[in-house]
Amino acid sequence: MGENGHPELDCGLATWDNDVYGNHRILVRVPGAVTGAVTGAVPGASPAVAAELPWRRHDPHPEAVDLVVLGPSGRRVRNVVRVEVTADRGRIAFEPAEGPGTYAVHYLPYAHTGNPHYPQSEYRRPTATAHPSWVQRCGLRGPDGWQALPRAEAFRYEAASAVDSFAPLGFAATVAELAALTAAHPGEPFLVFAEDRAHPLGLARHIPARWARGGPFAPFKGAARRGEFYALQAGVHAVRPLTGVHAEIRGLPFPVRALTQGGTDARGEVFEKDIEIAEGRLRSLWFGLDIPPDAVPGAYEGEIAVRADGVPERTLPVLITVGEDAVDEHGTGDPALLARLRWLDSTLGADDEVVPPFTPVEAEGHQLGILGRSVELGADGLPVRITSSFTSDVTRTDGPPRELLASPVAFGVGRALDHGPLTVDLAGPARARWRTEATADGLRLRTEGELEADGFLRIRTTVEALTDTALDVTLDVPLRAEVSPFVMGLGLRGQVCPDSFDWSWQTAVHNQDALWLGGPSAGVQVSLRDEHYARPLNTNYYREKPLVTPRSWAGDGDGGVRLRTAEGTRTLTAYSGTLRLAAGESRCFELRLLLTPFKPIDPGRHLAERYFHAYADPAEIASYGANVVNLHHATPPNPYINDPLLAADALRAYTEDAHRRGIRVKVYNTVRELTRRTPELPVLASLGDEVLAPGPGGGHAWLREHLGDGYVPGWVAPDIGDVAVVTSGDSRWHNSYVCAVDRLRRHVGVDGLYLDDVAFDRTTMKRVRKVLAGSGDTPPMIDLHSCNQYRESDGFASSANLYAELMPYTDRLWLGELFDYEGTDPAYWLVEISGIPFGLMGEMLEGGGNPWRGLVFGMTARAPMTDVRPLWQAFDELGLPGAEMTGWWADEPPVRTGRDDVLATSWQGPDGRTVTAIASWADGPAEAVLTDGSGPVAAYAPEIEGFQPERHFGAGEPVPVEPGRGWLLTVG
């Protein structure tokens, strides 16, 4: 048996229509002597041949899957009988209808149904195609007929591609081989097999034939280079159930990481994993050796040691030969080496340094200041004041302070609290922390809080019962109604805030735990969590991993949220209902406040950046007039889903060409799904549900054949045959993602990221921003796209609310697919689509958006799907990129329409010229008279192709506006 891993067959690749016949086949050779008889040259010869197919399958029900035989010409052979089908082998008889030659037996044929981007594979059920008279003539109606037939030899296994191939570890040991293996090692509770990184096992149901025949505890030999992160694996087969499995490499003079047994999570916390292996199952445990750059070349001896609860340790020798050659950056530049596994435990960017444009947190007593906002803490560690100095147009932070709170935030337990001292300290330039304790009758409360420079404020109060007790916990967040006219979340889409609202927890179907209240220049998102929070999946997958209902806020099912408005105050109250705690029991109540907006908007930069959202030659993009390109996956420079480094050379060449033409390059890379072509994917699968999200399985045939079950199938790019699996919302793969983004910036030269419905949280987003900002000659660019998440499959979560925590570190929004630009009011546009209340500006997508309404928010559509060049030309001719924009939402807009359903946003240039965009939300045709501070003004509409005709309007002359349309005018 060679490197191909199959004891009986040669292995290789070939091309055929795998959508019809599946991805795997075995070639059989029909000899000339036999086939001559079949064609009738020898009277009385058998018209059939027998073939034994040593396929060594690991699919769970091979007997339930059809097979197809093709002749040398590629025509299907109909006279085929399945005599015996087991996991070990198949015995078939078929008519060699084309005479001597090579016949192909395709043994996993499937059909894909449904959406081609989210297909479902169905393996074809066995179907009798042989003619009954042929079966009778060949003696195949009884069990002895097959034995009497002449033989066709199986000699080769072929796969439709290298990524489809089962070689070398996908061929299972037979029942007999497993029995012999166990008999050869009597009494062993487990068997250990070592394997090189070139052959990662993944999550296997079987012992590979390669391992069974090589035997357990065999010495491992590997070759590494100086400076390399060298990965290897030890497969542990449990002869009986194992708990507390622990493996280590001893004796080598290099640092060793046991990657499977724990590491550093995405927030920089060290963790360990308990490893159990069920009886008869196999688990691959991975190690990484950090070979020093100055290692002396030579052979180094050590051992792999494996132990488990209640069983003795077993070892096998390890010999690592370090060569003369050296590698840069631990070998991470070559994904095939698996050296990127070193990134799993990286803490790159995980610090408390400030990310521009944010400024260091200032602390003076209980008063904390950040960019454009301030927080004053009370003795209980909760805010008593929150102010915002963002100007009403959200373009600066030097406006008059706006008080957000009508009175202090209050946390109550139904009895008087005695508070201890509050201590505040700066953990770093970008973070302040505080803590305090309180006591009450039968209770102890511990409160810890933190405020970050971006406006993230978290307070965690742990309530511990000193005696058996019952209590009702409430949280009151009282906001001034005049600064909180809008709302979004907890089932409310972006809208004018109602005076009264009630909500209850339904996390199984609703991705809802947060409510945003506020206006463009001051607001707050209130989120309710506990220590069991785990980031759910989104984008069609919410029900596979929904929110974990907080045991504290939801109580025993009676918890909820209510909003009441009275005397100018909107009070948001979260309540637990009656909680019954035994002595020593505790509940954690976490309150997260995102103080919005996060940063000033930059309308000039926004209008000057012209996006081309498609793959094209940089020369074509430049001639189009764009200066930024978003490269999706399934394109030549970025072919694979969320692993752009697999095509680093092509992407680098493309980026260099684009830069020469003044075009910045952003690349699709979201981490929420992962291509099957990522070399580390089998390793990630072996980590259980740590990195790959657990789910129902199914989906594309490749996932079923290589991941088995228990995963969530992801996106498929059928034009290039790429397939993805969904990753967890929080895992060490996010550490690797941060390092990959860093390499994309430093070595490939990309200018930023195109994020499309991401899975990670604000911590990873902040780290990504840091590594992008820490290298490169130009500021990074990150834009966030989203399909409308307010759907059943996504748990009815507004995209802006879902991704608010990421917005401090992004530059532009595209909200986006399935959004309604026609049947929604200005409040929805402002809160759900524009990004302005969060310090961002956005663009439109679905159906090209509504260009007139979009323009009053500074938004255009996606080029080249929508031709926005006439608007770009108008922006430049009117000087909008160099002008100051004041939106209709500002306190004192320069131009007014006199109507609430026709809105106006203006740009005032350094030359004194004022340009105004108006758009209508009126039910029918409307007329608007434009005025400035001195009265009615004249207006001129330049011709803009596809947008408006040329038109003059005198001062006081009504400007007609059709429903859903508008104008771009110079006024005065």
Side-chain angles (χ1 to χ4, degrees), residues 472 503-505 552-562 575-580:
D472 294 298
W503 175 88
S504 59
W505 293 92
S552 52
W553 295 110
D556 295 326
D558 297 326
V561 174
R562 59 177 173 263
Y575 54 90
S576 67
T578 301
L579 286 176
R580 292 173 175 81

Side-chain angles (χ1 to χ4, degrees), residues 197 347 561 581 661 729 744 860 910 918:
R197 63 187 174 186
T347 58
V561 174
L581 303 182
R661 302 175 189 276
L744 280 169
T860 58
I918 67 172

Side-chain angles (χ1 to χ4, degrees), residues 460 529-534 550-552 586-590:
R460 176 175 284 189
R529 301 180 180 180
D530 70 2
E531 74 275 28
H532 303 293
Y533 175 83
R551 295 172 58 240
S552 52
S586 63
R587 290 286 190 274
C588 174
F589 296 83
E590 182 174 303

Side-chain angles (χ1 to χ4, degrees), residues 871-916:
L871 278 175
W872 289 351
Q873 181 179 352
F875 294 166
D876 292 336
E877 292 174 351
L878 297 172
L880 299 193
E884 294 184 4
M885 186 180 94
T886 305
W888 61 266
W889 53 87
D891 292 341
E892 297 293 336
V895 177
R896 300 175 184 270
T897 67
R899 302 178 60 111
D900 293 335
D901 53 7
V902 179
L903 305 179
T905 290
S906 299
W907 289 262
Q908 294 172 292
D911 57 359
R913 179 168 54 175
T914 297
V915 178
T916 297

Side-chain angles (χ1 to χ4, degrees), residues 511-543:
N511 187 7
Q512 298 169 5
D513 64 355
L515 183 78
W516 178 85
L517 280 162
S521 58
V524 60
Q525 185 196 69
V526 181
S527 299
L528 304 171
R529 301 180 180 180
D530 70 2
E531 74 275 28
H532 303 293
Y533 175 83
R535 189 170 182 84
L537 298 180
N538 63 310
T539 316
N540 301 321
Y541 309 124
Y542 175 73
R543 295 196 177 194

Side-chain angles (χ1 to χ4, degrees), residues 111-127:
H112 278 144
T113 61
N115 187 322
H117 296 297
Y118 293 101
Q120 284 295 327
S121 62
E122 293 293 338
Y123 286 92
R124 296 179 179 174
R125 307 286 294 178
T127 303

Side-chain angles (χ1 to χ4, degrees), residues 278-649:
E279 180 179 347
R281 298 303 296 267
L282 179 67
R283 182 77 181 266
S284 188
L285 309 180
W286 281 86
F287 304 92
L289 312 181
D290 259 318
I291 312 297
D294 58 355
V296 176
Y300 296 86
E301 295 182 355
E303 64 181 10
I304 296 176
V306 181
R307 63 180 183 271
D309 293 339
V311 298
E313 177 181 276
R314 290 302 311 264
T315 63
L316 60 84
V318 172
L319 179 68
I320 303 295
T321 301
V322 178
E324 295 281 353
D325 294 341
V327 296
D328 295 328
E329 299 194 20
H330 309 281
T332 53
D334 184 354
L337 296 176
L338 301 189
R340 297 191 302 182
L341 291 173
R342 188 177 191 273
W343 293 345
L344 281 177
D345 298 316
S346 172
T347 58
L348 180 65
D351 55 46
D352 285 316
E353 296 302 312
V354 177
V355 183
F358 302 110
T359 55
V361 179
E362 297 178 351
E364 184 175 344
H366 296 174
Q367 184 82 24
L368 304 174
I370 58 175
L371 178 70
R373 292 145 293 172
S374 67
V375 177
E376 183 179 342
L377 300 172
D380 57 0
L382 296 167
V384 298
R385 292 183 67 200
I386 298 175
T387 64
S388 170
S389 61
F390 280 84
T391 55
S392 63
D393 59 8
V394 201
T395 61
R396 303 189 312 279
T397 60
D398 58 355
R402 296 173 185 254
E403 296 281 353
L404 191 61
L405 296 180
S407 58
V409 176
F411 183 86
V413 293
R415 60 197 75 176
L417 292 169
D418 182 15
H419 294 283
L422 178 72
T423 60
V424 180
D425 68 89
L426 291 175
R431 186 193 306 265
R433 300 180 301 197
W434 59 92
R435 60 190 60 83
T436 187
E437 293 190 1
T439 57
D441 182 20
L443 297 174
R444 178 187 295 118
L445 281 70
R446 295 184 301 277
T447 297
E448 297 177 325
E450 59 181 333
L451 174 67
E452 294 194 33
D454 59 7
F456 170 75
L457 192 161
R458 181 177 67 178
I459 299 166
R460 176 175 284 189
T461 297
T462 301
V463 179
E464 180 186 3
L466 303 179
T467 61
D468 293 353
T469 189
L471 68 156
D472 294 298
V473 175
T474 58
L475 170 76
D476 290 323
V477 183
L479 303 175
R480 297 173 64 213
E482 65 184 51
V483 296
S484 54
F486 304 113
V487 68
M488 172 179 59
L490 301 187
L492 295 175
R493 289 195 273 188
Q495 63 183 76
V496 173
C497 187
D499 289 338
S500 179
F501 172 65
D502 290 273
W503 175 88
S504 59
W505 293 92
Q506 300 178 56
T507 56
V509 293
H510 289 164
N511 187 7
Q512 298 169 5
D513 64 355
L515 183 78
W516 178 85
L517 280 162
S521 58
V524 60
Q525 185 196 69
V526 181
S527 299
L528 304 171
R529 301 180 180 180
D530 70 2
E531 74 275 28
H532 303 293
Y533 175 83
R535 189 170 182 84
L537 298 180
N538 63 310
T539 316
N540 301 321
Y541 309 124
Y542 175 73
R543 295 196 177 194
E544 309 298 342
K545 184 188 176 186
L547 281 168
V548 178
T549 304
R551 295 172 58 240
S552 52
W553 295 110
D556 295 326
D558 297 326
V561 174
R562 59 177 173 263
L563 177 69
R564 299 291 185 266
T565 305
E567 299 179 352
T569 298
R570 300 194 198 280
T571 301
L572 182 71
T573 300
Y575 54 90
S576 67
T578 301
L579 286 176
R580 292 173 175 81
L581 303 182
E585 190 177 1
S586 63
R587 290 286 190 274
C588 174
F589 296 83
E590 182 174 303
L591 167 66
R592 290 188 169 204
L593 303 177
L594 294 179
L595 308 182
T596 62
F598 301 116
K599 54 192 175 183
I601 61 175
D602 188 349
R605 173 188 171 187
H606 186 81
L607 293 183
E609 292 173 349
R610 313 287 167 79
Y611 272 69
F612 192 91
H613 196 103
Y615 167 71
D617 185 272
E620 178 184 344
I621 296 170
S623 66
Y624 190 89
N627 52 29
V628 183
V629 60
N630 271 348
L631 288 178
H632 207 278
H633 54 235
T635 60
N638 184 28
Y640 305 123
I641 301 169
N642 292 331
D643 199 347
L645 286 174
L646 296 182
D649 291 342

Side-chain angles (χ1 to χ4, degrees), residues 678-881:
T678 293
E680 297 89 348
L681 186 60
V683 184
L684 304 183
S686 75
L687 298 178
D689 61 3
E690 180 191 345
V691 174
L692 303 186
H700 193 278
W702 186 92
L703 299 173
R704 298 182 64 172
E705 292 168 6
H706 293 270
L707 296 183
D709 53 24
Y711 56 85
V712 178
W715 179 264
V716 172
D719 49 341
I720 65 166
D722 198 19
V723 179
V725 62
V726 175
T727 60
S728 169
D730 184 19
S731 76
R732 280 189 292 169
W733 190 243
H734 294 172
N735 296 331
S736 182
Y737 173 70
V738 172
C739 293
V741 170
D742 178 60
R743 188 171 183 87
L744 280 169
R745 178 74 156 163
R746 291 186 299 106
H747 289 275
V748 180
V750 301
D751 299 280
L753 298 177
Y754 154 34
L755 301 178
D756 187 5
D757 276 319
V758 301
F760 51 75
D761 65 2
R762 63 179 305 278
T763 299
T764 299
M765 184 76 255
K766 179 171 55 176
R767 294 171 63 190
V768 165
R769 186 78 193 193
K770 284 182 180 180
V771 300
L772 286 174
S775 58
D777 299 328
T778 58
M781 308 171 71
I782 302 175
D783 55 286
L784 176 61
H785 299 228
S786 180
C787 183
N788 193 345
Q789 303 283 297
Y790 199 86
R791 300 180 298 155
E792 181 179 1
S793 59
D794 301 306
F796 298 103
S798 297
S799 294
N801 206 41
L802 183 67
Y803 294 126
E805 65 176 359
L806 309 183
M807 292 183 188
Y809 305 103
T810 58
D811 300 287
R812 183 178 301 241
L813 296 180
W814 300 75
L815 308 176
E817 293 167 276
L818 302 184
F819 278 80
D820 183 1
Y821 299 116
E822 301 299 334
T824 50
D825 61 20
Y828 180 87
W829 276 76
L830 179 68
V831 176
E832 291 258 8
I833 297 175
S834 76
I836 288 166
F838 305 96
L840 287 170
M841 296 181 69
E843 309 285 13
M844 301 174 293
L845 176 57
E846 187 72 26
N850 182 308
W852 301 277
R853 290 177 174 178
L855 202 50
V856 300
F857 298 93
M859 298 192 297
T860 58
R862 181 183 285 189
M865 292 76 110
T866 300
D867 189 358
V868 295
R869 287 175 292 182
L871 278 175
W872 289 351
Q873 181 179 352
F875 294 166
D876 292 336
E877 292 174 351
L878 297 172
L880 299 193

